[in-house]
Amino acid sequence: MTQAPHGPAWLVWLETSSAAVAMREWLWLYPAVEIAHIVGFVVLVGAAVMFDLRLLGLSATLSARAMAHHLLPWARAALIIVVPSGALMFAAHATEFVDNPAFRLKLLLLAGAGLNAWLFHHKSFRSVAAWDHERPAPPGARVAAVVSLLLWAGVIAAGRLIAYL
């Protein structure tokens, strides 16, 4: 940090917390946390992409329920890595990130991805028995898959752009 943090008190408090200071001052801490974040994100988005591709008709011989049963625990486990690592990286630069348009876009796209997944599991996936194996997913499920793929691609792009904006 080249200058004292300024902005809303809670952001200044967060950025001056011992965890945030450690993230900035310990040589390998920020890179290690960032690597954990990326690995977690790869698992989370990888699981989502594999399931979305199934919804779009690829590997239709595989059971959609079995894929969900296999992939969802991986995605949930990845969240256990992604959320705290992301929070630590945010804390290290809270007053800077909060004004970063790429960071704001990433949060918006993450919220959209979460809402899309929630809607899919509470609407389209309830009828999975009718299209579970070797049958096309219904239009709503396919739309959710396309939206998911676009949102996750956007999250990745926005996350990467944070360093440049």
Side-chain angles (χ1 to χ4, degrees), residues 7 11 21 31 39 61-62 64 78 84 94 97 105 109 120 140 142 159:
L11 290 174
V21 171
V39 169
T61 58
L62 298 176
F97 281 3
L105 179 60
L109 293 170
F120 168 77
R142 292 193 305 263

Side-chain angles (χ1 to χ4, degrees), residues 15-128:
E15 195 167 311
T16 57
S17 68
S18 58
V21 171
M23 285 288 289
R24 289 189 307 275
E25 291 183 356
W26 295 7
L27 180 63
W28 292 104
L29 184 57
Y30 198 101
V33 170
E34 188 171 27
I35 289 167
H37 190 71
I38 291 167
V39 169
F41 222 78
V42 166
V43 173
L44 173 64
V45 175
V49 167
M50 296 308 297
F51 191 73
D52 291 339
L53 292 176
R54 166 58 182 89
L55 295 177
L56 293 173
L58 278 75
S59 301
T61 58
L62 298 176
S63 162
R65 283 190 282 201
M67 285 191 73
H69 183 74
H70 177 72
L71 294 171
L72 278 175
W74 286 101
R76 289 182 183 124
L79 283 172
I80 294 169
I81 297 168
V82 170
V83 171
S85 61
L88 282 169
M89 289 189 300
F90 173 73
H93 303 284
T95 59
E96 179 185 340
F97 281 3
V98 76
D99 291 326
N100 186 309
F103 178 76
R104 289 179 175 198
L105 179 60
K106 179 180 177 177
L107 292 183
L108 183 65
L109 293 170
L110 278 169
L115 178 61
N116 184 56
W118 185 86
L119 287 170
F120 168 77
H121 284 285
H122 286 84
K123 301 236 182 238
S124 298
F125 198 67
R126 289 183 182 233
S127 68
V128 70

